Amino acid sequence: MTDSSAAATPPQKGVLGWIERVGNRLPDPVVLFLWLVGILVVISVIASAAGWSALHPTEVDPETGRQKVIAATSLLSADNIARLWVEMPATFTHFHPLGYVLVVMLGAGVAERSGLFGTAMHASVRGAPQWLLTPLVAFVAMMGNLAADAAYVVLIPLAAVIYHAAGRHPVAGIAAAFAGVSGGFSANLLPGQLDALLFGITEAAVETVFGDWQANIAGNWYFIAVMLFLFLPVIWYVTDRIIEPRLGSYVPAGLAAKGDIGEQDRPLNDGERKGLRHAGLAILFVIGLWLLFTLGPGTPLVAEDGPPEGRFTPFYQSLVAGFFLLFLLAGWAYGRATGVVGNHRDLVKMMSESMGDMAYYLVLAFAAAHFVAMFAWSNLGLILAVHGADGLKAMDLPAPVLLAAIVLLTAALNLFVGSASAKWALLAPVLVPMLMLLGISAEMTTAAYRVGDGSTNIITPLMVYFPLILIFCQRWQPSFGLGSLAATMLPYSIGLLVTGTALVIGWVALDLPLGPGASVHIPVPTTAP
């Protein structure tokens, strides 16, 4: 990703063009987040004075024995003012994606600057039909959810490199990968750590009303597999027929000056082929090392004493470090073979330069971290989630319509509460027992929640990786702003939401199994603890 200037994107028309123009008139994202903090402070003061509150679905006040009250808290209270200034370093350094991004980029910077990324993508797409790039990127992106946060910081920037090497607009590659990783957050061929996380919350929600109930981590297996194959053509169509035509052609300034637009078609030289072989051996070494840690003596990356659904949690959590080591060693091996890396000083220099590229992201992350944290301190997100669930319960809708409403409610709440587990922890104690009393299984309610949770991830700045995606886009097109990103991702969000909602309604209507031993309908429970 060395070329950062491109031909200007042609003026856009229609609704998406209006969204882009209005969004790009907004101030720099750093300043925008600071404005949002100011607005949030005002709203929190009004909410606190007005007594906005909600009853927590599960927590009990130890003094009264009644449900705990969630009250809006003024961000100008003495406690929150002290919290802002005292915890400022921790608020920044504990910002969830920060550590993941910096660790992976330390290794990825070496792989990029040594030339490995460019050569590997060059080799992979040379002679391959360009029309297959989008479905391949979307498929890998959705499967990459098994790697959780690592998928954001690894797959999405790599998609830009792939598209660039194929002579296509790199921002289209970022959009397709972002739609797969984040919009298709739950779509996969295999259950993973997200299933363990969500079904653990589902189990607790059921037990608060109906007593002992064992979660089935594969309870959405068939559903999420079908979701992947339905989302794939949606992402493919939106990318190739809507987004890439809007972006126009991408011609890096350096190549345009030389008239060498067909550079991606040249054959690899001997040094590059040797470098790829050495990099491949380094990759096999890292994979073998992780297999040893997972399957070998002592199994340090497997929690042998933990619950079955959480046995591989250490393995999943180690993947960010694994990608760091893989990129670092593969980049070093390629650089040594091609002569780009002479000694350890070259390696350290490449790692340092990669951190220099992240300087703006660090400033942006500082502002975003404080907005997200202060939103949580105000309790406004929790109150919105609880009242939204209560309102849905009061509608008394037919099962297919109710589940579709749950999808839409979750999609709307996701604009304000980004964490999938945090929203589900608040919604599940109300939604799961409520639908079980209507004869709808806990697995079906969880599946409906998952559809709504992913569809709006890609259009809300509150999603913690949203600023990072903006930085990825700006590396290829410096004029790309918040409005550009929102306009680019909105068609994906609408397409995935409509498709996912139709999937939920159809699944309930046809009464299909959701996974092994998991059905849509259940006998209405008649006993409670």
Side-chain angles (χ1 to χ4, degrees):
M1 292 191 285
T2 55
D3 295 306
S4 59
S5 58
T9 303
Q12 305 301 319
K13 299 179 180 180
V15 175
L16 295 182
W18 178 82
I19 292 173
E20 179 172 355
R21 289 190 297 274
V22 171
N24 286 343
R25 291 193 188 104
L26 295 173
D28 185 275
V30 175
V31 176
L32 183 60
F33 271 111
L34 295 178
W35 282 16
L36 290 174
V37 167
I39 295 171
L40 178 62
V41 169
V42 173
I43 294 175
S44 73
V45 172
I46 297 172
S48 178
W52 293 3
S53 65
L55 294 177
H56 199 288
T58 58
E59 291 188 17
V60 175
D61 190 325
E63 296 182 359
T64 64
R66 299 177 180 177
Q67 280 180 285
K68 183 178 178 181
V69 175
I70 307 169
T73 302
S74 169
L75 291 173
L76 293 183
S77 68
D79 288 343
N80 277 330
I81 290 175
R83 194 176 191 179
L84 172 64
W85 302 117
V86 173
E87 298 183 10
M88 185 171 283
T91 301
F92 178 41
T93 58
H94 292 178
F95 188 47
H96 184 63
L98 189 61
Y100 290 111
V101 171
L102 296 182
V103 169
V104 171
M105 286 302 176
L106 276 172
V110 174
E112 178 183 350
R113 284 166 173 74
S114 67
L116 173 60
F117 278 170
T119 302
M121 296 304 105
H122 180 118
S124 66
V125 300
R126 184 173 181 265
Q130 293 187 18
W131 64 272
L132 279 178
L133 281 183
T134 301
L136 288 174
V137 165
F139 177 81
V140 173
M142 285 187 279
M143 289 298 296
N145 288 322
L146 291 171
D149 300 270
Y152 286 96
V153 295
V154 174
L155 292 178
I156 293 176
L158 283 182
V161 177
I162 293 173
Y163 271 62
H164 178 233
R168 298 179 60 178
H169 204 297
V171 173
I174 291 174
F178 187 30
V181 171
S182 197
F185 187 59
S186 284
N188 214 293
L189 294 181
L190 298 170
Q193 57 180 327
L194 180 63
D195 296 80
L197 176 63
L198 293 181
F199 274 109
I201 297 171
T202 301
E203 180 177 308
V206 175
E207 290 179 344
T208 59
V209 178
F210 301 112
D212 187 54
W213 185 82
Q214 296 298 316
N216 175 9
I217 190 176
N220 284 167
W221 190 352
Y222 305 155
F223 183 86
I224 62 176
V226 172
M227 194 194 308
L228 182 144
F229 288 109
L230 286 181
F231 282 2
L232 188 62
V234 173
I235 297 173
W236 188 356
Y237 178 85
V238 171
T239 302
D240 289 4
R241 297 302 180 93
I242 299 177
I243 300 306
E244 197 161 15
R246 287 187 70 251
L247 292 170
S249 60
Y250 180 87
V251 181
L255 295 181
K258 299 176 184 177
D260 191 13
I261 301 175
E263 165 69 11
Q264 65 268 15
D265 292 327
R266 68 168 179 80
L268 300 181
N269 59 42
D270 292 339
E272 290 171 332
R273 284 192 290 268
K274 179 181 177 182
L276 288 178
R277 288 194 299 270
H278 286 209
L281 293 175
I283 291 171
L284 290 176
F285 169 77
V286 175
I287 293 174
L289 187 63
W290 249 247
L291 289 174
L292 178 65
F293 290 153
T294 306
L295 306 175
T299 58
L301 295 183
V302 177
E304 298 287 358
D305 298 331
E309 64 272 14
R311 291 184 67 233
F312 289 98
T313 297
F315 169 78
Y316 293 134
Q317 293 175 337
S318 74
L319 288 177
V320 169
F323 279 119
F324 156 70
L325 190 62
L326 184 146
F327 285 139
L328 178 65
L329 294 185
W332 172 79
Y334 177 89
R336 290 285 292 180
T338 58
V340 175
V341 177
N343 53 43
H344 70 279
R345 299 184 190 279
D346 293 331
L347 201 65
V348 173
K349 181 180 178 181
M350 289 178 180
M351 296 172 73
S352 301
E353 290 174 348
S354 69
M355 289 297 97
D357 288 345
M358 300 304 296
Y360 177 76
Y361 175 70
L362 292 175
V363 178
L364 184 59
F366 179 82
H370 281 81
F371 174 69
V372 172
M374 293 172 73
F375 196 77
W377 299 347
S378 71
N379 286 335
L380 291 175
L382 305 184
I383 293 171
L384 285 171
V386 172
H387 282 303
D390 289 344
L392 191 60
K393 183 177 180 180
M395 291 180 185
D396 194 23
L397 300 171
V401 179
L402 181 56
L403 286 163
I406 289 174
V407 173
L408 298 178
L409 169 67
T410 305
L413 290 176
N414 195 44
L415 297 172
F416 304 99
V417 184
S419 169
S421 59
K423 284 195 305 296
W424 191 226
L426 286 163
L427 294 174
V430 174
L431 298 181
V432 173
M434 178 185 74
L435 267 70
M436 289 179 73
L437 290 171
L438 297 175
I440 302 297
S441 70
E443 290 87 356
M444 188 65 242
T445 307
T446 305
Y449 169 80
R450 298 173 75 159
V451 171
D453 177 63
S455 60
T456 50
N457 272 340
I458 50 181
I459 59 173
T460 171
L462 279 178
M463 206 280 287
V464 291
Y465 284 103
F466 199 84
L468 179 66
I469 307 305
L470 181 61
I471 299 301
F472 288 153
C473 293
Q474 289 177 343
R475 294 192 67 183
W476 298 95
Q477 188 169 313
S479 62
F480 206 83
L482 276 176
S484 303
L485 185 54
T488 298
M489 301 313 301
L490 184 59
Y492 293 104
S493 183
I494 294 172
L496 296 177
L497 182 59
V498 171
T499 304
T501 304
L503 174 63
V504 168
I505 294 173
W507 208 284
V508 176
L510 297 174
D511 196 16
L512 301 174
L514 291 153
S519 60
V520 172
H521 297 285
I522 59 169
V524 176
T526 57
T527 60

